Amino acid sequence: MPDNSINHYHRLIQELRARGFRITTPRCWTLRVLSEQSGHMTSEQVYQSLHEYDIQVDEATVYRTLQWLADNRIVTRTNLGLGADVFSLYHEPHHHLVCLNCRATIEIDDSVFADLRSDLRKAHGFVPQMDHFAIFGLCKLCQSQATDQAAD
Amino acid sequence: MPDNSINHYHRLIQELRARGFRITTPRCWTLRVLSEQSGHMTSEQVYQSLHEYDIQVDEATVYRTLQWLADNRIVTRTNLGLGADVFSLYHEPHHHLVCLNCRATIEIDDSVFADLRSDLRKAHGFVPQMDHFAIFGLCKLCQSQATDQAAD
DNA sequence: ATAAGTGCAAATCTTTTGCAAGTGC
DNA sequence: GCACTTGCAAAAGATTTGCACTTAT
């Protein structure tokens, strides 16, 4: 486990303890595997990872743990249109471009939403909680393929 | 059925026929109920509406029909975070602000995404297909309630 | 006539839940 | 000790699918 992952993981545990939450095996290890994978995991994937560490945790418990972490804003839960929701640590907000054709996902910075955020607030008094967003469309490559096909 | 709904409905049928698709009872009536309801319907709601017209169509067929309409870009399919996906006619692109607290949804114009669209294209060569989008957050009212509670 | 669409029933997949037993503090 | 968590099994909800039958063209 890389140093920064370990540190991040320990910081999270401390934070939960400080907030008065109980530290249990499923919670510890769920956070561990999420810290290692900088990416996004389905509940199923978290479950598999735990078992690779020989940590026997029930699948329902993984769901409950992830849901609980999401409720406490430790992780985000996102529907990337891939069937199951994906979960990831909620540190720096970031978002995804998902190609409808090849399913590639491009990670993008939160800053692209700065203007949109202030527009929505001004126009509708609405404060978006865009922690983790998925935008569907066509990636560069798949666009050119589409163009090629049209030219046939 | 208001005139504009009827017209829109007939136009859609013509378009499908022109594209060489078969016009069947489930397709006709699904488009009819979607035309009447300017809003968004779950598959279940479409199913119920059909039965209110005494049109006996199987629930699986409603799913297949809606999926087919979505594949052919006649309707959009969106996950508003309410359990079931919602479907609506794909005429003018529009989007939704969904309040995480009270579940109110505010319909917003597509124009708010104009800048975002061009940014994403410039920065990542990505062309978003944001036909029908859901942004979660807190509405004006629920924000002030949250503030009130914090003040208690 | 025939390819496409539908009804029916059952399966699949994701997620949630009730309850008894276990565990952190 | 006691409230909070978990395991287990089962349910719930959304959506898909296999297959024989029907229908639009």
Side-chain angles (χ1 to χ4, degrees):
Chain A
M1 197 166 172
D3 281 358
N4 53 345
S5 302
I6 286 220
N7 289 340
H8 194 227
Y9 161 71
H10 284 146
R11 218 179 310 127
L12 287 172
I13 298 290
Q14 282 170 11
E15 182 185 333
L16 288 178
R17 211 184 285 280
R19 289 213 243 164
F21 295 128
R22 292 196 182 174
I23 309 304
T24 65
T25 306
R27 291 179 182 173
C28 278
W29 285 87
T30 297
L31 286 175
R32 249 193 105 141
V33 303
L34 286 175
S35 300
E36 289 181 343
Q37 299 276 124
S38 64
H40 312 76
M41 304 178 81
T42 62
S43 189
E44 168 74 14
Q45 289 171 325
V46 171
Y47 176 75
Q48 295 298 339
S49 290
L50 294 182
H51 282 251
E52 281 168 21
Y53 285 109
D54 287 316
I55 308 297
Q56 303 295 328
V57 175
D58 193 73
E59 201 163 359
T61 301
V62 176
Y63 269 104
R64 272 192 284 232
T65 302
L66 289 169
Q67 185 58 58
W68 180 83
L69 289 169
D71 289 343
N72 289 293
R73 311 206 101 217
I74 309 292
V75 307
T76 57
R77 178 179 197 151
T78 312
N79 181 317
L80 289 181
L82 309 169
D85 287 355
V86 293
F87 299 83
S88 69
L89 291 183
Y90 173 54
H91 27 76
E92 282 313 300
H94 65 279
H95 313 278
H96 295 269
L97 307 176
V98 182
C99 180
L100 288 166
N101 188 239
C102 68
R103 289 287 156 188
T105 71
I106 304 167
E107 201 159 316
I108 60 172
D109 197 78
D110 185 58
S111 59
V112 293
F113 288 128
D115 290 343
L116 180 60
R117 253 184 245 279
S118 64
D119 287 352
L120 291 180
R121 188 190 299 251
K122 264 183 274 179
H124 301 96
F126 188 90
V127 176
Q129 254 174 39
M130 297 190 286
D131 300 341
H132 195 199
F133 222 53
I135 296 178
F136 299 90
L138 286 181
C139 72
K140 206 175 214 165
L141 191 59
C142 288
Q143 281 165 58
S144 51
Q145 286 178 351
T147 312
D148 292 348
Q149 287 189 342
D152 286 345
Chain B
M1 200 167 174
D3 280 358
N4 52 346
S5 300
I6 286 218
N7 288 340
H8 194 228
Y9 161 71
H10 284 146
R11 218 180 308 126
L12 288 171
I13 299 290
Q14 282 170 11
E15 182 185 331
L16 288 177
R17 212 184 286 279
R19 288 214 243 164
F21 296 128
R22 293 196 184 175
I23 308 304
T24 65
T25 306
R27 291 179 181 173
C28 277
W29 284 88
T30 297
L31 286 175
R32 249 193 104 141
V33 302
L34 286 174
S35 299
E36 290 180 344
Q37 298 277 125
S38 63
H40 312 75
M41 304 177 82
T42 62
S43 190
E44 168 74 13
Q45 289 172 325
V46 171
Y47 176 74
Q48 295 298 340
S49 289
L50 293 182
H51 282 251
E52 281 168 22
Y53 285 109
D54 288 316
I55 309 296
Q56 303 295 328
V57 175
D58 193 72
E59 201 164 357
T61 301
V62 176
Y63 269 104
R64 274 192 282 231
T65 301
L66 289 168
Q67 185 58 57
W68 179 83
L69 288 170
D71 290 343
N72 288 292
R73 310 205 101 218
I74 308 292
V75 307
T76 57
R77 178 178 197 152
T78 312
N79 181 318
L80 289 180
L82 308 169
D85 288 355
V86 293
F87 298 84
S88 69
L89 291 182
Y90 173 54
H91 28 77
E92 281 313 299
H94 66 278
H95 313 277
H96 295 270
L97 307 176
V98 182
C99 180
L100 288 166
N101 188 239
C102 68
R103 290 287 155 189
T105 71
I106 303 167
E107 201 160 315
I108 60 172
D109 197 78
D110 186 58
S111 59
V112 294
F113 288 128
D115 290 343
L116 180 61
R117 254 183 247 277
S118 64
D119 287 353
L120 291 180
R121 188 189 300 250
K122 265 183 275 181
H124 301 96
F126 188 90
V127 176
Q129 254 174 41
M130 298 190 285
D131 300 340
H132 195 199
F133 222 56
I135 296 178
F136 298 91
L138 286 181
C139 71
K140 205 176 217 167
L141 191 59
C142 288
Q143 281 165 58
S144 51
Q145 285 178 350
T147 313
D148 292 349
Q149 285 189 342
D152 287 345

